[in-house]
Amino acid sequence: MNKKLTKFDIFVVFGFILSLVIGVAAFFYGLQVGKEQTEAKYAAVIEQMTQERNEQSASYQQQQLVSFYHTVLQPFQEFRSTWFRHMQTIEAGGGAADADDLLKELKRLAEETAGEIKPTTIPEGSPLLRDSQTDFLRSLTLFADAVARLQNGPEGPRLAEAMRTDELVQDAASYALKAQAEFYEAIWM
């Protein structure tokens, strides 16, 4: 028995080992090429989706929302509750002098609240909050204009009905609702 390997046996073993190494290298090379092609194919799609998402949703920090609530929304809500309280008093028919005083107070309060809200600075990166502030200001301005127009109008329950059906009051209410919707939308982003 000859235990010596012949040249042919050595070539077969080296050929087998070389084939194995080349096969493993080709596998990993193909894996790398496939990975790069897939990443290149989907990188543009992912970048586009990310960019669209960032453009559509401006993420608001909690500090911005809290600041907006205290400087814009809360004063408006105080005005709104006063408006409804005075509307109930006018509907109850407190008298012409009382109605005139209440209307004057509503006008003054609307102008004061607008003056309180207007100087509030909203960051550039907060478009929903900026729009909401603008709509609250429009609403308050329209409420003040409506009250000024209604001061020389009917009295008692007819005044309350005129206030409810007045076009400026309805526009002011729609701006207020739009502003609130924008604020709540900013919260959910």
Side-chain angles (χ1 to χ4, degrees):
M1 286 192 85
N2 189 2
K3 290 196 172 195
K4 240 181 168 186
L5 292 176
T6 64
K7 284 184 180 182
F8 179 75
D9 292 339
I10 293 175
F11 281 127
V12 169
V13 170
F14 279 134
F16 179 74
I17 292 174
L18 184 63
S19 297
L20 196 57
V21 168
I22 290 174
V24 169
F27 172 78
F28 285 113
Y29 178 74
L31 182 68
Q32 182 66 27
V33 169
K35 182 179 169 186
E36 288 172 359
Q37 287 177 350
T38 304
E39 285 177 356
K41 180 179 177 182
Y42 289 107
V45 174
I46 291 171
E47 179 66 30
Q48 181 183 7
M49 290 174 61
T50 304
Q51 188 177 16
E52 287 176 4
R53 195 177 104 226
N54 289 341
E55 287 175 0
Q56 289 176 354
S57 68
S59 179
Y60 296 99
Q61 295 179 0
Q62 188 174 10
Q63 180 182 358
Q64 291 172 329
L65 296 171
V66 170
S67 175
F68 183 85
Y69 176 82
H70 286 291
T71 58
V72 177
L73 188 62
Q74 191 173 20
F76 182 81
Q77 287 179 335
E78 290 171 5
F79 167 77
R80 187 186 65 193
S81 65
T82 303
W83 175 272
F84 286 121
R85 246 191 347 267
H86 287 355
M87 281 285 290
Q88 287 176 346
T89 304
I90 291 170
E91 282 178 344
D98 288 343
D100 282 342
D101 290 340
L102 293 176
L103 288 176
K104 286 177 186 176
E105 183 184 345
L106 282 174
K107 183 178 181 202
R108 180 191 57 78
L109 189 60
E111 290 169 347
E112 280 180 10
T113 306
E116 197 176 316
I117 291 173
K118 191 171 189 166
T120 302
T121 304
I122 307 295
E124 293 271 338
S126 306
L128 284 173
L129 294 180
R130 282 181 169 272
D131 292 345
S132 181
Q133 179 191 24
T134 302
D135 289 338
F136 276 128
L137 286 171
R138 285 182 190 147
S139 175
L140 288 167
T141 304
L142 288 173
F143 275 125
D145 293 346
V147 168
R149 191 167 79 179
L150 290 168
Q151 280 179 335
N152 299 326
E155 297 174 9
R158 289 182 306 165
L159 174 60
E161 183 61 31
M163 288 174 76
R164 260 197 291 317
T165 59
D166 187 70
E167 185 179 322
L168 288 177
V169 172
Q170 290 177 354
D171 288 345
S174 67
Y175 274 116
L177 290 174
K178 181 181 173 196
Q180 281 184 327
E182 290 165 342
F183 174 67
Y184 292 126
E185 186 178 340
I187 289 174
W188 288 108
M189 291 191 132

